[in-house]
Amino acid sequence: MSQSSITLIQGAQVYAPQSRGQQDVMIVGDRIVAIAPQLPVPNIACRVIDGRGKWLVPGFVDALTHITGGGGEGGFHTRTPEMQLSDAILAGVTTVTGVLGTDAITRSHQNLIAKARALKTEGLNVVCHTGSYHLPAKSLMASIEDDLLFIPEFIGVGEVAISDHRSSQPDATQLAQLAAQTRVAGMLSGKRGVVSIHVGDAPSLLQPLWDAVASHDVTLSQFYPTHINRNATLLLAGFEHVKRGGYIDFTASTTDAILAGGEVRASEAVMRGLSAGIPESHMSMSTDGHASLPVFDDAGNLVALTVGEMASLHTEWVYGVQTLGITPEKLLRTLTQTPAEILGLADTGTIAEGSFADVLLLDADSLDIQTVICRGQWMMHDGVLLKLGTFEVK
Ligand code: ZN
């Protein structure tokens, strides 16, 4: 189907992510143009899809993906491979946020932007953060301000590491200066200027951010800390962080060993948040896709490395809805509208007239992803991938 085509999806249960009941949805080109209980079939060439028995939801918005690969903490052979288009499409992810990570030495912003543009050409929505784990923040151009103003893909800085042995141990003033720099660059470029924060397992938890805000003229909502479900203590600090005016993000990718070590799975973290009065507009889930996930044996020896999977977002959503009994639209918001709002992406994350046609059709019983439309382009239909990355083979 070409970009200028017209599609009418009839009779699907629409979660925008708010429940809107049974609706017809019309897509023209890359946008949703009409949503109503019964839309007339236009008198011109139009693809009509039967949406009965399916849920129609926004494509997932992933706030953290190592699109060029990440890891590397165990030597060069532990650098993880870069993502491919099908990693996102099979996972229902239509927007990715590319970041570097611990390694901004063998990985570069040049490579990050090149990969972002490759994925955009292949049909995905892609934004990126400049900087990396470390301060002072590395940039592609002369400064992070230049990057936000002149590189369209850059919308913020990160993931900057705090409370982690791999961080550059930034103090309150450094964090406040980074937030102020990013805020001004965001204002001048019309972007949100978010500072993505990697939170490690050190006992200082989120205190470095609270100190930065207490002693300087910056706001907590500028920071977007992730991995808040790393352990139950950090999770409680995360809830306190929201009560102080901030946002928090949970990592969906995990392993049995990591969960056994005390991590709270992302859907469970959302459930605990909702019980603690944390609104779904202030907590999100992201994949941390293509990060390295170490697997240890009982004696604590590193025995394998796996890679964070983008499919984890969908897995957590289904688990949360089917096993934990979380209201579908509340949990859905944490992987669609909420991250889009926090990142300042106005055109995606919701099913709304005028939004990008970033749309998933799910089987109403299994919640399996059947169809993926990204910016009006058909990427997968009835479980069959229609579009592969340039070097992916069928
Ligand atoms: Zn991280």
Side-chain angles (χ1 to χ4, degrees), residues 252-266:
S253 290
T254 192
T255 64
D256 289 344
I258 292 172
L259 290 172
E263 185 173 272
V264 181
R265 62 185 297 173

Side-chain angles (χ1 to χ4, degrees), residues 64 66 99-102 133 159 161 164 166 197-199 226-227 230 251 288 291:
L64 193 77
H66 298 278
V99 296
L100 295 179
T102 323
Y133 263 34
E159 45 173 331
D164 192 299
R166 292 164 294 177
I197 297 285
H198 160 105
V199 187
T226 189
H227 314 315
R230 184 184 290 287
T251 301
D288 204 9

